[in-house]
Amino acid sequence: MFVILVYDVNEKRVNKVLKTCRKYLNWVQNSVLEGEISDANFRKLKSEISRIINKDEDSVIIYILRTTKYSDREIIGLEKGGESLFV
């Protein structure tokens, strides 16, 4: 599956969340990651994030796309982040 993950977490936890997410996904912009991920790794990622964040203060949103066949990505301005794997 292909996922887009966005997060808004307290400054104290930002680096931990980013480091955890980068093990599974590609960083594309501040607080935004994307990439192909297996079901097993998706469950691991969610579990690891749940242990890091404070659910009363932080927010993580994951958009799940079963296929990227009908998806496209357009960048206006500076392209941030690492590799672009969006097809």
Side-chain angles (χ1 to χ4, degrees):
M1 77 180 84
F2 187 87
V3 300
I4 300 169
L5 182 144
V6 295
Y7 62 89
D8 183 7
V9 299
N10 186 291
E11 274 184 61
K12 296 179 258 180
R13 293 178 288 279
V14 167
N15 288 334
K16 286 184 181 180
V17 170
L18 178 59
K19 186 176 179 179
T20 298
C21 292
R22 288 187 78 174
K23 291 191 305 189
Y24 302 97
L25 301 170
N26 299 304
W27 176 73
V28 293
Q29 196 170 51
N30 297 346
S31 305
V32 180
L33 296 99
E34 66 182 22
E36 290 284 338
I37 190 168
S38 68
D39 287 334
N41 281 341
F42 184 59
R43 286 191 298 274
K44 287 181 195 176
L45 173 60
K46 291 192 300 183
S47 175
E48 290 179 36
I49 289 173
S50 292
R51 288 193 299 266
I52 296 169
I53 68 169
N54 177 333
K55 292 180 182 170
D56 295 326
E57 290 182 24
D58 303 328
S59 174
V60 177
I61 301 171
I62 303 171
Y63 298 92
I64 302 165
L65 296 97
R66 297 293 173 200
T67 179
T68 57
K69 183 176 181 179
Y70 302 107
S71 300
D72 197 12
R73 177 173 137 184
E74 186 173 324
I75 299 169
I76 300 172
L78 179 66
E79 183 174 357
K80 294 186 174 183
E83 305 168 23
S84 175
L85 294 180
F86 200 89
V87 178

